[in-house]
Amino acid sequence: MEIDGWFPHTVRVRFAETDAQGIAHHASYVVWLEEARVAHLAAVAGGYAAIRARGIEALTTGIELTYERAAVFDDVLTVLVRCGEARGARFRYEYVVERDGERVATGSTRHATVDAATRRPVRVPDWLLADLLSGQVPPSPSSSETS
Amino acid sequence: MEIDGWFPHTVRVRFAETDAQGIAHHASYVVWLEEARVAHLAAVAGGYAAIRARGIEALTTGIELTYERAAVFDDVLTVLVRCGEARGARFRYEYVVERDGERVATGSTRHATVDAATRRPVRVPDWLLADLLSGQVPPSPSSSETS
Amino acid sequence: MEIDGWFPHTVRVRFAETDAQGIAHHASYVVWLEEARVAHLAAVAGGYAAIRARGIEALTTGIELTYERAAVFDDVLTVLVRCGEARGARFRYEYVVERDGERVATGSTRHATVDAATRRPVRVPDWLLADLLSGQVPPSPSSSETS
Amino acid sequence: MEIDGWFPHTVRVRFAETDAQGIAHHASYVVWLEEARVAHLAAVAGGYAAIRARGIEALTTGIELTYERAAVFDDVLTVLVRCGEARGARFRYEYVVERDGERVATGSTRHATVDAATRRPVRVPDWLLADLLSGQVPPSPSSSETS
């Protein structure tokens, strides 16, 4: 896995996010992916508020998650996130959830940009596209060290 | 307990609402009270949408819950709900959560009516006040039978 | 769409399930699918409790959702659910979420059966397999009436 | 307000925690209080896991919240938390939720310690009592620096 394009975001499993099986409920991951995506957008594109300020709203049009290991209360998880693709009025995020370097889950979300007022599809604006893609390949100190 | 003023609303404990203690998480009750309140408003005042359609928004300004027994996954709970008080720009709801006639929790919520556009306090409108109070003492078939 | 194999389950969008975009948050659907799956299991296999009583636990190993239309507060949604596949220690559910006959979302979930004590994979027991598959094509009163 | 007894915990409002009124849903606060309480217990008593490891479970028996200002998506909130009282099998936590030094909400939760196996009430153990109370007035590095 190409590590450079991934933005790391940390979450700690809340007690309210567990269920009677004693593990983190599978719906909790959906919220963690969103929190990681928001953090990524803040890092590369000035935050979701900046996007909305320009009259653009991003809708979630799809999600896919594969759960490989259970997470439990108080686990510290790293959600690795990156924008995997962006074109037209659509973009796609990818995620890997890890605990101590061990893979817990993987997933992806699909999004559409719409005009905030009319809710009609609009192209992902160039400035956002550039930000998302720059986020995809940020300057990598470690790779330059190895060159 | 005066049964006549209470409006019954049924909820079934979702698996996602349980926690690693094997019981319904205490935050789940807050959502159940809201669902019961919405159902009560629908029954006595044409629903929350009707209130918003008149430019009124109801904010929640306080909540209080006492948990007496644990609820578990798949429990069918009856949330008894009534508007306990309404005056000026404020109203208050009361709740009793039961399972098979046994008390599980009691609580109350406090609300303020605001103008939907300005978010400034406005008096609970007379029509809503009447509806809330009529909801408080609905026609009781059983009591008329005994008279 | 083959209507007979689908089990209908109704949910009403809670206010707590909406978000600041004014629509039902995309994580809410994950919980609705679970509620529909639990209702289906109750109808065809005596409920999830019966399964656990036999020492079997069902884990969720994957989920996939495509959102086609937004749902809003107080919408009454029908979640059509069926067990799409079951073999070995795995089974798969399929879902269609509708509002007034209009498709709102589609999805699927993947599950694994494990021993409740050891959490090790165990084959989906024959009795459960039979129930799940019988659930897939239940007797249809309306079609028999018309024959 | 006596600042020394309060333990600060930071949360950032998730998008999933907002509702169609455009603000953080009032049930979200219940989860934030819990997260702050868990962080406080980790700081003063080795964490909730340590408590459970000694066979003690802490149940939530009551909650009270007063909402003074709305919080919105992405707000960074400080939850000030302290154990306000502990005696017998019961203890009580107090909370102040702030944003930029401005009070957003206040609240309290009530808890009972039970034997993890039997779920019967047991006294708050002395070691936990001491920890909770020490947490109430922790050593202040800044004040010792000035002495």
Side-chain angles (χ1 to χ4, degrees):
Chain A
M1 185 193 312
E2 162 199 344
I3 200 67
D4 289 357
W6 297 92
F7 178 84
H9 179 72
T10 301
V11 297
R12 186 181 281 267
V13 180
R14 295 171 171 183
F15 196 72
E17 293 169 338
T18 62
D19 64 29
Q21 284 188 334
I23 61 178
H25 189 267
H26 63 282
S28 306
Y29 293 70
V30 179
V31 177
W32 301 336
L33 300 197
E34 180 177 66
E35 188 176 285
R37 187 168 65 248
V38 164
H40 179 265
L41 279 168
V44 305
Y48 195 65
I51 297 171
R52 296 182 85 182
R54 299 208 195 188
I56 305 287
E57 195 91 57
L59 303 179
T60 299
T61 57
I63 191 162
E64 174 270 317
L65 266 162
T66 298
Y67 308 94
E68 301 184 14
R69 286 181 179 78
V72 299
F73 168 58
D74 222 26
D75 270 357
V76 175
L77 305 175
T78 302
V79 183
L80 299 168
V81 54
R82 69 175 176 190
C83 182
E85 193 183 2
R87 54 174 181 176
R90 304 195 170 275
F91 60 98
R92 186 173 169 279
Y93 264 81
E94 299 170 343
Y95 312 83
V96 178
V97 183
E98 295 183 345
R99 180 187 47 217
D100 300 330
E102 193 175 61
R103 187 176 296 203
V104 170
T106 58
S108 65
T109 53
R110 300 188 303 279
H111 305 273
T113 40
V114 296
D115 182 287
T118 64
R119 292 281 163 124
R120 287 173 161 270
V122 290
R123 288 179 58 85
V124 179
D126 284 343
W127 63 268
L128 177 55
L129 202 64
D131 287 340
L132 290 175
L133 297 180
S134 77
Q136 207 170 344
V137 189
S140 165
S142 58
S143 63
S144 59
E145 279 166 16
T146 58
S147 64
Chain B
M1 182 194 314
E2 164 199 344
I3 200 66
D4 288 358
W6 297 93
F7 177 85
H9 179 72
T10 301
V11 297
R12 185 182 282 266
V13 180
R14 296 173 171 181
F15 195 72
E17 293 169 339
T18 62
D19 64 29
Q21 284 188 332
I23 61 178
H25 189 267
H26 63 283
S28 305
Y29 293 70
V30 178
V31 177
W32 301 335
L33 300 196
E34 180 179 65
E35 188 176 285
R37 186 168 67 248
V38 164
H40 178 266
L41 279 168
V44 305
Y48 195 66
I51 297 172
R52 296 181 86 183
R54 299 208 196 188
I56 305 287
E57 195 91 57
L59 303 179
T60 299
T61 57
I63 190 162
E64 174 270 318
L65 266 161
T66 297
Y67 307 95
E68 301 185 14
R69 284 180 181 80
V72 299
F73 168 58
D74 222 28
D75 269 358
V76 175
L77 305 176
T78 302
V79 183
L80 299 168
V81 54
R82 68 174 175 192
C83 181
E85 192 183 4
R87 55 174 180 175
R90 303 194 171 276
F91 60 99
R92 186 174 171 278
Y93 264 81
E94 298 170 345
Y95 312 83
V96 178
V97 182
E98 294 184 346
R99 180 187 46 216
D100 299 331
E102 191 175 63
R103 187 176 298 204
V104 170
T106 58
S108 65
T109 52
R110 300 189 302 280
H111 305 274
T113 39
V114 296
D115 182 286
T118 65
R119 292 281 161 124
R120 287 172 161 271
V122 290
R123 289 179 58 86
V124 179
D126 285 344
W127 63 270
L128 176 56
L129 202 63
D131 286 339
L132 290 175
L133 296 181
S134 76
Q136 208 170 345
V137 190
S140 166
S142 58
S143 63
S144 58
E145 279 167 13
T146 58
S147 65
Chain C
M1 184 193 312
E2 162 198 345
I3 201 66
D4 287 357
W6 297 91
F7 177 85
H9 179 72
T10 301
V11 298
R12 185 182 282 266
V13 180
R14 296 171 170 182
F15 196 72
E17 293 169 338
T18 63
D19 64 29
Q21 284 188 333
I23 61 178
H25 189 267
H26 63 283
S28 305
Y29 292 71
V30 179
V31 177
W32 301 336
L33 300 196
E34 181 178 65
E35 188 176 285
R37 188 168 65 247
V38 164
H40 178 265
L41 279 168
V44 304
Y48 195 65
I51 297 171
R52 298 181 84 182
R54 299 208 196 188
I56 305 287
E57 195 91 58
L59 303 179
T60 299
T61 57
I63 191 162
E64 174 271 316
L65 266 162
T66 297
Y67 307 95
E68 302 184 13
R69 285 180 180 79
V72 299
F73 168 59
D74 223 26
D75 269 357
V76 176
L77 305 176
T78 302
V79 183
L80 299 168
V81 55
R82 69 174 176 189
C83 182
E85 193 183 3
R87 54 175 181 175
R90 304 193 170 276
F91 61 98
R92 185 173 170 279
Y93 264 82
E94 299 170 345
Y95 312 83
V96 178
V97 182
E98 295 184 345
R99 179 187 46 217
D100 299 331
E102 191 175 62
R103 186 177 298 204
V104 170
T106 57
S108 65
T109 54
R110 301 188 301 280
H111 305 273
T113 40
V114 295
D115 183 286
T118 64
R119 291 282 161 123
R120 288 172 161 271
V122 290
R123 288 180 58 85
V124 179
D126 285 344
W127 63 269
L128 177 55
L129 203 63
D131 286 340
L132 290 175
L133 297 181
S134 77
Q136 209 169 342
V137 188
S140 166
S142 57
S143 63
S144 59
E145 278 168 13
T146 57
S147 63
Chain D
M1 184 193 314
E2 162 199 345
I3 200 66
D4 287 359
W6 296 92
F7 177 85
H9 179 71
T10 301
V11 297
R12 185 182 282 266
V13 180
R14 296 172 172 182
F15 195 73
E17 292 169 339
T18 62
D19 63 29
Q21 284 187 331
I23 61 178
H25 189 267
H26 63 283
S28 306
Y29 293 71
V30 178
V31 177
W32 301 336
L33 299 196
E34 181 179 65
E35 187 176 285
R37 186 168 68 247
V38 165
H40 178 265
L41 279 167
V44 306
Y48 195 66
I51 297 171
R52 297 181 85 182
R54 299 208 196 189
I56 305 286
E57 195 91 57
L59 303 179
T60 298
T61 56
I63 191 161
E64 174 270 316
L65 265 161
T66 298
Y67 307 94
E68 301 185 14
R69 285 181 180 79
V72 298
F73 168 58
D74 222 27
D75 270 358
V76 175
L77 305 176
T78 302
V79 182
L80 298 168
V81 54
R82 68 174 176 191
C83 182
E85 192 182 4
R87 55 175 179 175
R90 303 193 171 276
F91 61 99
R92 186 174 171 279
Y93 264 82
E94 298 169 345
Y95 312 83
V96 178
V97 182
E98 294 184 346
R99 180 186 46 216
D100 299 331
E102 192 174 62
R103 186 177 298 204
V104 169
T106 58
S108 66
T109 53
R110 302 189 301 281
H111 305 274
T113 40
V114 296
D115 183 286
T118 64
R119 291 282 162 121
R120 287 173 160 270
V122 290
R123 289 179 57 85
V124 179
D126 286 344
W127 63 269
L128 177 55
L129 203 64
D131 287 339
L132 289 175
L133 297 180
S134 76
Q136 210 170 342
V137 189
S140 165
S142 56
S143 62
S144 59
E145 280 166 13
T146 58
S147 67

